[in-house]
Amino acid sequence: MLGKTAGGLYWMFRNLERAENTARLIEAGFRIALTRSTDPASDWRSVIVTSAQQAAYEAKCQTYQSTQVTEFLLRDPSNPSSVMSLIKNARDNARLTRTAITSEVWGAVNETWMRLCDQLSAPVPDTELPKVLASIRRQSALVRGALHGTMLRNDVYDFCRLGTFLERADNTARIVDVKYHALLPSPSFVGSKMDNVQWETLLRSVSGHRAFRWGSDGEYNAANIANFLILDRRMPRSLGYCADNLVDNLTYICDQYGQETESLERAHAIDSRLRGRDIHEIFDEGLHEFLSTTLIHLGELGLQIEKDYRFFQ
Amino acid sequence: MYFCEMTAGDGVRGPYADYDAWFAQQDNARLAQKSREAEAFFRQTGITFNVYGDKDAEERLIPFDLVPRILSGREWDKLSRGVDQRVRALNAFLHDIYNRQEILRAGIVPIDLIAQNDAYLPQMMDFVPPGGVYTHIVGTDLVRTGEDDFFVLEDNARTPSGVSYMLENRETMLQMFPELFSKQKVKRVSDYPKNLRASLEASAPPNCKGRPCVAVLTPGIHNSAYFEHSFLADQMGVQLVEGHDLRIVDGHIAMRTTRGFKVIDVLYRRVDDDFLDPLTFHPDSMLGVPGIMDVYRAGNITIANAPGTGVADDKAIYSYMPDIVEFYTGEKAILKNVETFRCSEPDSLKYTLDNLKDLVVKEVHGSGGYGMLVGPAASKAELAAFADKLRANPANYIAQPTLSLSTVPIFTEAGLAPRHVDLRPFALVSPEQVNIVPGGLTRVAMTEGSLVVNSSQGGGTKDTWVLED
Amino acid sequence: MQLFVTHATHYTYDTPVVYALQKARLRPSGSKLQEIEAWDLTVEGGKIEAGYRDHYGNNVDLISAEPGTQSLVITAQGTINTHDLAGVLGPVYGRAPLWHFQQITPVTRLTDEVAAPFLGVFRAAPNPIEGGHALCHEILSKVAYDTDKTHAATTAQEAIAIGHGVCQDHSHIFIAVARQAGFAARYVSGYLRIDGRVHQDANHAWAEIHVPDLGWVGFDVSNGISPDDRYVRLAVGRDARDAAPISGLRMGNGGEELMVSLQVQQ
């Protein structure tokens, strides 16, 4: 496979994943700002911070209002991380790699793009927002379904998956990091209304509010939530689950190519920091420090994959 | 009047008899629905092309018409023999003008026509491409004016495009109307990608060991024909590469893969000559492969089509094609040329200026229907303006009579309506043989009365059937 | 005359090279003007990827720099026996036809007005050989030799306006005028032994025109003579770009420095 093709597949799925995550963040932010908040500006600000775009946003807008934030995150063509830009980029990458993907995957990505071009052709009013966001998530699921159902399990598939899980791990780590203060066990706030709101937002940001209830004996506390999002390998958006998959997909590639790469070593390193751990141990170590280090490791892994598999040179 | 290929004279022509019977039983509303489905399918599949300088509609569909263009086996035999002969002559001509130039010495083609031709590449002189093949793929544009009257309108010897539409149109017809194909035996076109690959492989450099590695070179996803590039690479099962995927490794062109560099033996390039090699041609080109001309001349890669083939599809050279065919094959040309007035010649210029309103005038190096004048359709002011351009640079133009192009009906909500068509069969040339896929691309002017079929000017396409007689 | 040539071209890069190519026309061919006794092309910090004869019969080597290198040295070295035939190469033809050398290229294009006085001088002579010499003289008097006033991309027309130039500019003007006069003319790059000076810092260049019945005849405008046995022909073409001893291309940023060391001695 061409290095450029591997890079195109990887970035197509990073972009799709990021678009989906952004939609989810907006959804969680929208919900909290609309229903529960006493300070919506601060909630919207937190959405922007979580998507790692504070500087870019503040260079354009002075205040944090729902219409501005959603416009910036959904439609703004000058924002390379707006959903529209991400989907366009994903589709360009799909065109670039058309000879590697099935017509089902191409068709799903192309349809996603066509649909969003249509839905995001004008600013989205609050009343339409839930519908548009749901559609983004649905389209995303469609692409995923096409990938799972039609693609050969070879290196092509593995590079797609690497993009997905690297982006997802990065996203989950950032979400938890932005809200980490709400997760720190602090007896005076436990069970207070504020924590509950923050926790729910957090879980909603990763579509995990229902799964959490099923998966963690229902006890709503900081340690359980942190454990669920960081270590619980049953949760498909947890860091542990992502690390598992990064290791698996890199291993498949190494086996197929008959060569060990530094990428695989780095993925193993990330994975072992998340394995056999107790969440309290991580709290003791410092949750914020733990997450920052994870984010750095993920960034390094991304660069190493690019290098090992010659995406650019 | 125009020759209608479906209903000439008193009734339905033979090749269309079965189709006509089928059509009579169809419900217009159902066909209209099918037509919309086809469009949605094309859009979703991304069978689109980009129009240069058209920012609003970055990607456009080429309209597809669901009425096939049908040729009998007998009609096709003659056409394909004519194309075969012409393609061989083109190759012989290219070999000659880049080597001994006998045809210039014999005074059959004037030297100036080569010397003043920007598409003539000195870098190809004194060199023979692997297998002696210059034009691996040729698209010959044909038009018809009567029962037995076919003319060649143009030879596309550099990078003929459109073959993906030929294949997709057939695929679409098979899906929409499978019953049509069980009634009648239509010759298959689906072997084209396989034949293309085999033909390219057969043209590999002689010192290539093992099965030759073929790749398609595209300028990238923003190129107007990107869909076709990726489609052909996909159908042939070869890599689709861009200039920045390639570099020179051990004297060969190699592509960067996830496992290191892999040598390419045959490059089917869809990048124009000017941009092919910044080290040899346009130094600013970002699309090309620096050093590929050196590797080529050293005998380590095949470039298809060979650089410099554009000199043969020049419209001024076209006017000499009957002589060129005779010079190299010793036979009369099977396919007729359209009568052509070279405006570089004073008498022809005078004739052209005097009869501008009845003529089609084309730029010598133009393509895609750009910069041409269709006299009968032009206003007085347009004619006057064009006459000025013509006087300023006569050698840049040729003129041809306005042909009464044949028509084939298209489907409209109101039923069938005649529209003008042309035909581009595709010929594959390898060192051993010329292979012509039975069919080709039928382009159709979608506007009533229009003679311009180019997709960049709003033309559409049809599936083209060649029947087993 | 036996001439020893050592010609080293040394590129130094600020940052390690990612990918760089050089096209070298650094292997002279034998003719009745020169026999190649020994010749060698060596590369340090890179390698020869491919070699072939180009459309003018020049021997070309494609050279790649080793990835990561910061220095590339291309050295041509050898011994050549030369003969003084008053610059007459003779009726020696490759596949490139004479009409090809009558074609005006972008750098050898002169406006009629600028060309007129030169054409006048050339045409006033009784024969093309004397015309060539008169033209050399005319060019030298209008465009004095000066290494600082023009650059590699200066056209013939520009050099005349500047009034100064080097052997490349002189040759381009000569070729431009000869072509306007209807002659096939071409550019020659090569070496020149300079009396009393071993070390030089650049290649030399001159022009050849095709004279009926005589064939190709050389004119070194800068020195006002036809080449003799101090000259080594390296490559020919329609203008300097076609016959450049080295041209290259590099990907990536960072500066590069070029140092030429050339010794021609008897």
Side-chain angles (χ1 to χ4, degrees):
Chain A
M1 185 189 342
L2 292 178
K4 175 191 67 190
T5 305
L9 296 163
Y10 169 90
W11 279 108
M12 167 172 37
F13 278 87
R14 275 201 85 145
N15 283 313
L16 287 167
E17 180 70 23
R18 193 178 294 180
E20 186 185 348
N21 293 338
T22 302
R24 220 179 252 115
L25 267 181
I26 298 172
E27 200 163 15
F30 182 67
R31 193 179 173 91
I32 189 170
L34 214 64
T35 57
R36 315 257 189 111
S37 183
T38 48
D39 183 6
S42 130
D43 289 308
W44 280 121
R45 189 172 158 279
S46 148
V47 166
I48 291 285
V49 172
T50 312
S51 65
Q53 300 200 77
Q54 193 172 9
Y57 180 84
E58 287 177 1
K60 292 198 100 174
C61 308
Q62 277 74 45
T63 56
Y64 282 94
Q65 282 167 0
S66 99
T67 48
Q68 284 172 339
V69 172
T70 52
E71 178 71 8
F72 179 76
L73 290 179
L74 276 181
R75 278 173 24 93
D76 192 341
S78 70
N79 172 15
S81 291
S82 71
V83 169
M84 198 60 240
S85 302
L86 291 167
I87 296 296
K88 178 171 186 322
N89 193 302
R91 191 228 182 207
D92 279 351
N93 276 305
R95 287 190 83 197
L96 190 73
T97 57
R98 260 192 86 157
T99 55
I101 56 181
T102 56
S103 54
E104 283 86 347
V105 172
W106 157 253
V109 175
N110 192 39
E111 188 197 299
T112 301
W113 174 77
M114 289 194 297
R115 220 162 251 233
L116 282 188
C117 281
D118 184 33
Q119 289 176 325
L120 298 181
S121 60
V124 181
D126 280 0
T127 47
E128 289 297 306
L129 194 57
K131 206 173 90 189
V132 171
L133 294 171
S135 157
I136 295 169
R137 277 176 29 200
R138 203 167 41 242
Q139 286 300 131
S140 191
L142 190 72
V143 176
R144 202 158 31 237
L147 180 79
H148 284 285
T150 64
M151 294 280 294
L152 213 58
R153 295 311 195 256
N154 59 8
D155 49 348
V156 174
Y157 180 81
D158 293 322
F159 282 111
C160 296
R161 301 297 280 162
L162 285 177
T164 301
F165 288 112
L166 207 60
E167 184 62 35
R168 187 180 292 175
D170 186 81
N171 179 65
T172 301
R174 267 187 290 116
I175 289 179
V176 180
D177 195 28
V178 169
K179 299 275 181 196
Y180 84 98
H181 53 273
L183 286 171
L184 294 178
S186 143
S188 59
F189 283 116
V190 168
S192 73
K193 189 176 177 231
M194 181 193 143
D195 271 358
N196 277 328
V197 171
Q198 294 286 4
W199 289 343
E200 195 187 327
T201 310
L202 193 54
L203 288 169
R204 277 187 188 279
S205 309
V206 295
S207 286
H209 51 293
R210 297 186 62 215
F212 178 76
R213 285 203 296 273
W214 306 326
S216 61
D217 308 331
E219 194 173 338
Y220 223 51
N221 64 39
N224 276 352
I225 291 173
N227 182 67
F228 183 64
L229 295 178
I230 297 171
L231 299 177
D232 193 332
R233 291 194 181 226
R234 297 167 304 168
M235 160 61 182
R237 301 195 161 265
S238 75
L239 293 180
Y241 181 87
C242 293
D244 226 9
N245 279 276
L246 287 169
V247 168
D248 281 356
N249 287 293
L250 279 167
T251 306
Y252 297 141
I253 294 172
C254 287
D255 286 352
Q256 192 188 332
Y257 292 180
Q259 56 186 200
E260 293 276 305
T261 55
E262 203 182 321
S263 308
L264 179 58
E265 277 173 45
R266 285 181 184 273
H268 270 303
I270 291 171
D271 184 58
S272 60
R273 285 183 77 237
L274 295 159
R275 211 171 261 284
R277 300 294 296 270
D278 185 317
I279 194 68
H280 295 96
E281 209 180 291
I282 292 174
F283 279 138
D284 291 347
E285 202 178 290
L287 180 60
H288 175 60
E289 289 76 3
F290 180 86
L291 292 167
S292 309
T293 310
T294 306
L295 280 167
I296 291 168
H297 287 175
L298 288 168
E300 288 168 347
L301 173 60
L303 291 175
Q304 192 63 41
I305 291 173
E306 243 172 66
K307 197 167 151 229
D308 283 347
Y309 299 104
R310 300 160 202 265
F311 288 3
F312 302 113
Q313 51 171 272
Chain B
M1 253 333 271
Y2 303 111
F3 177 73
C4 175
E5 298 191 13
M6 187 162 175
T7 53
D10 330 326
V12 175
R13 289 180 64 248
Y16 285 86
D18 286 352
Y19 182 80
D20 182 64
W22 173 86
F23 189 83
Q25 292 166 3
Q26 303 304 308
D27 166 35
N28 258 15
R30 183 181 94 98
L31 290 179
Q33 173 63 22
K34 287 272 188 193
S35 178
R36 283 190 294 274
E37 279 168 24
E39 188 184 318
F41 170 77
F42 277 99
R43 199 171 280 288
Q44 196 166 0
T45 318
I47 307 179
T48 57
F49 75 110
N50 306 359
V51 179
Y52 293 114
D54 189 347
K55 275 218 166 77
D56 294 335
E58 196 196 324
E59 289 168 28
R60 274 209 224 154
L61 284 187
I62 296 183
F64 168 73
D65 177 63
L66 51 77
V67 182
R69 198 269 185 86
I70 309 176
L71 296 165
S72 70
R74 189 192 56 82
E75 287 169 334
W76 175 253
D77 280 348
K78 185 179 170 196
L79 285 185
S80 66
R81 272 188 293 117
V83 169
D84 182 290
Q85 178 196 49
R86 203 166 168 106
V87 163
R88 288 176 197 273
L90 277 175
N91 263 283
F93 173 67
L94 285 162
H95 178 266
D96 187 30
I97 59 162
Y98 283 117
N99 288 283
R100 300 186 59 86
Q101 307 193 324
E102 298 293 355
I103 199 163
L104 304 186
R105 293 165 200 250
I108 290 172
V109 170
I111 289 176
D112 266 4
L113 227 52
I114 305 298
Q116 306 302 327
N117 197 318
D118 284 341
Y120 183 76
L121 295 182
Q123 290 83 356
M124 288 297 291
M125 290 189 296
D126 200 8
F127 174 72
V128 180
V133 180
Y134 284 83
T135 55
H136 303 77
I137 300 114
V138 183
T140 308
D141 289 352
L142 302 170
V143 294
R144 182 176 202 175
T145 57
E147 186 63 50
D148 239 347
D149 302 308
F150 287 91
F151 294 88
V152 177
L153 202 56
E154 196 173 312
D155 300 285
N156 296 282
R158 39 192 115 187
T159 43
S161 61
V163 78
S164 57
Y165 293 95
M166 170 186 88
L167 295 165
E168 284 288 358
N169 289 353
R170 175 62 54 83
E171 199 49 42
T172 307
M173 287 295 279
L174 278 165
Q175 279 182 23
M176 288 198 303
F177 309 113
E179 71 275 19
L180 275 172
F181 294 86
S182 58
K183 276 193 165 78
Q184 255 174 315
K185 273 206 114 34
V186 178
K187 291 194 181 178
R188 282 147 56 92
V189 294
S190 56
D191 291 337
Y192 180 83
K194 199 182 79 204
N195 294 344
L196 173 60
R197 181 166 178 180
S199 182
L200 291 171
E201 284 176 353
S203 307
N207 61 6
C208 159
K209 290 170 195 70
R211 184 173 191 191
C213 173
V214 177
V216 178
L217 176 69
T218 173
I221 61 168
H222 299 297
N223 184 267
S224 65
Y226 179 76
F227 164 72
E228 176 153 303
H229 307 162
S230 72
F231 178 86
L232 287 174
D234 190 30
Q235 295 283 310
M236 282 194 284
V238 304
Q239 292 291 353
L240 177 65
V241 298
E242 291 173 51
H244 59 81
D245 295 316
L246 307 180
R247 67 165 56 177
I248 288 159
V249 177
D250 298 333
H252 289 80
I253 301 295
M255 54 185 167
R256 194 182 70 248
T257 78
T258 50
R259 283 190 262 188
F261 282 89
K262 184 172 189 310
V263 167
I264 294 172
D265 301 299
V266 183
L267 192 63
Y268 176 23
R269 51 90 183 211
R270 298 292 296 256
V271 168
D272 292 345
D273 288 353
D274 276 356
F275 300 100
L276 187 59
D277 181 354
L279 197 58
T280 302
F281 305 119
H282 208 305
D284 305 327
S285 168
M286 301 295 286
L287 306 174
V289 189
I292 191 171
M293 282 303 287
D294 303 87
V295 172
Y296 187 48
R297 285 201 65 127
N300 290 343
I301 191 162
T302 296
I303 302 175
N305 289 353
T309 52
V311 68
D313 62 24
D314 189 282
K315 292 186 180 67
I317 294 287
Y318 163 86
S319 63
Y320 290 94
M321 270 313 280
D323 303 322
I324 290 173
V325 170
E326 202 168 339
F327 185 76
Y328 296 108
T329 66
E331 303 159 5
K332 289 270 175 216
I334 298 170
L335 292 170
K336 287 178 276 192
N337 250 30
V338 179
E339 187 185 12
T340 301
F341 302 95
R342 297 185 278 263
C343 300
S344 57
E345 297 165 5
D347 289 353
S348 296
L349 176 64
K350 183 173 184 307
Y351 176 86
T352 304
L353 286 168
D354 290 349
N355 297 283
L356 207 51
K357 64 175 181 3
D358 301 320
L359 297 170
V360 176
V361 189
K362 297 174 180 171
E363 285 185 15
V364 169
H365 309 296
S367 69
Y370 291 103
M372 78 184 224
L373 173 88
V374 180
S379 70
K380 274 228 163 79
E382 284 167 339
L383 287 173
F386 206 91
D388 288 342
K389 286 206 292 186
L390 200 50
R391 281 188 207 97
N393 188 7
N396 193 37
Y397 297 96
I398 53 116
Q400 293 170 336
T402 317
L403 293 183
S404 315
L405 296 197
S406 63
T407 62
V408 174
I410 61 165
F411 175 78
T412 71
E413 305 267 340
L416 296 180
R419 293 291 186 273
H420 295 293
V421 293
D422 78 352
L423 174 64
R424 177 180 294 178
F426 294 92
L428 298 174
V429 186
S430 74
E432 294 98 40
Q433 59 170 335
V434 176
N435 179 307
I436 303 163
V437 64
L441 178 67
T442 291
R443 299 187 297 177
V444 52
M446 299 303 280
T447 319
E448 193 175 351
S450 169
L451 293 168
V452 183
V453 296
N454 304 73
S455 55
S456 51
Q457 314 275 311
T461 66
K462 283 170 167 294
D463 188 16
T464 307
W465 292 5
V466 174
L467 302 181
E468 307 253 15
D469 283 350
Chain C
M1 187 186 285
Q2 188 163 53
L3 294 176
F4 301 95
V5 177
T6 305
H7 175 204
T9 310
H10 189 167
Y11 294 89
T12 318
Y13 308 108
D14 292 354
T15 51
V17 164
V18 176
Y19 187 54
L21 294 172
Q22 303 290 340
K23 196 195 277 262
R25 296 178 188 85
L26 284 171
R27 293 185 199 263
S29 304
S31 65
K32 64 181 200 184
L33 292 173
Q34 59 190 33
E35 292 128 33
I36 318 298
E37 193 158 305
W39 196 267
D40 210 11
L41 188 68
T42 53
V43 181
E44 292 165 60
K47 67 171 183 172
I48 296 174
E49 296 281 358
Y52 63 97
R53 276 171 85 86
D54 75 6
H55 49 298
Y56 301 121
N58 303 315
N59 299 308
V60 183
D61 290 275
L62 181 68
I63 294 163
S64 68
E66 197 178 290
T69 190
Q70 287 189 257
S71 158
L72 175 68
V73 188
I74 300 167
T75 308
Q77 195 167 31
T79 310
I80 292 174
N81 296 318
T82 58
H83 306 288
D84 181 1
L85 298 177
V88 179
L89 174 68
V92 179
Y93 308 107
R95 280 284 158 78
L98 287 176
W99 58 255
H100 179 65
F101 294 105
Q102 287 176 298
Q103 289 191 308
I104 292 160
T105 63
V107 292
T108 58
R109 178 164 290 128
L110 294 179
T111 56
D112 290 346
E113 200 179 329
V114 167
F118 294 98
L119 262 174
V121 168
F122 181 72
R123 283 179 169 150
N127 61 55
I129 301 293
E130 285 181 47
H133 286 296
L135 180 56
C136 288
H137 191 263
E138 180 67 12
I139 295 170
L140 259 189
S141 73
K142 298 271 176 63
V143 183
Y145 190 87
D146 187 327
T147 53
D148 292 336
K149 299 289 197 320
T150 55
H151 52 87
T154 304
T155 66
Q157 175 97 3
E158 287 164 353
I160 292 171
I162 293 166
H164 297 272
V166 296
C167 55
Q168 173 177 315
D169 305 303
H170 289 149
S171 305
H172 279 159
I173 299 167
F174 187 98
I175 291 165
V177 174
R179 286 180 187 158
Q180 287 218 357
F183 283 82
R186 65 190 184 187
Y187 187 97
V188 186
S189 63
Y191 303 113
L192 165 63
R193 185 182 73 80
I194 301 173
D195 298 325
R197 207 177 118 203
V198 172
H199 293 276
Q200 305 179 26
D201 39 61
N203 280 85
H204 193 47
W206 56 97
E208 283 177 350
I209 59 171
H210 185 264
V211 179
D213 302 329
L214 202 54
W216 292 103
V217 184
F219 291 88
D220 176 2
V221 180
S222 303
N223 290 300
I225 56 166
S226 279
D228 54 25
D229 56 359
R230 292 170 300 161
Y231 289 73
V232 175
R233 295 171 83 255
L234 198 50
V236 301
R238 283 191 300 181
D239 58 33
R241 194 186 173 205
D242 287 342
I246 290 197
S247 55
L249 177 148
R250 185 166 54 98
M251 311 239 162
N253 328 315
E256 76 176 33
E257 218 175 292
L258 170 65
M259 232 179 57
V260 175
S261 136
L262 173 62
Q263 289 121 47
V264 187
Q265 52 193 310
Q266 205 171 340

